[in-house]
Amino acid sequence: MGTFVLLIEALLVLRVMPPGFDGWKSVTVGPGQTLWELGEVYCPNTDPRYVVGAIETRNHIDANIQPGDVLWVPTKSVSMWARLVF
């Protein structure tokens, strides 16, 4: 019974983990673009909050970006199941 409970807890923890990202692409920021917009455009079907965080981490920046900045932006999210290693 204890093992079953631990398995359920582990699955719940994995469920709330943010996705990983792959397929990074170099993108030049255009006038008026935000990190949120870049996340929606280049990594659709993924919660933009996670994409923005990944962009900030990968590029060592905060939300202050300027037109002409070159950023690495993910193009695909990797599900938690794909990241499991047995």
Side-chain angles (χ1 to χ4, degrees), residues 1-83:
M1 181 68 170
T3 304
F4 180 72
V5 170
L6 286 176
L7 176 64
I8 296 299
E9 287 178 355
L11 290 174
L12 290 173
V13 166
L14 288 174
R15 175 92 171 110
V16 298
M17 283 179 56
F21 294 96
D22 200 8
W24 293 84
K25 178 179 183 175
S26 178
V27 174
T28 302
V29 177
Q33 281 189 314
T34 64
L35 292 179
W36 190 274
E37 181 183 346
L38 291 172
E40 289 180 329
V41 169
Y42 289 96
C43 202
N45 305 320
T46 304
D47 187 333
R49 294 174 295 177
Y50 296 130
V51 181
V52 167
I55 294 170
E56 289 175 337
T57 300
R58 175 77 184 255
N59 294 281
H60 308 287
I61 60 169
D62 57 18
N64 298 319
I65 58 174
Q66 303 295 320
D69 288 349
V70 178
L71 303 175
W72 286 100
V73 177
T75 58
K76 153 176 111 166
S77 64
V78 180
S79 74
M80 63 168 175
W81 302 113
R83 294 185 291 159

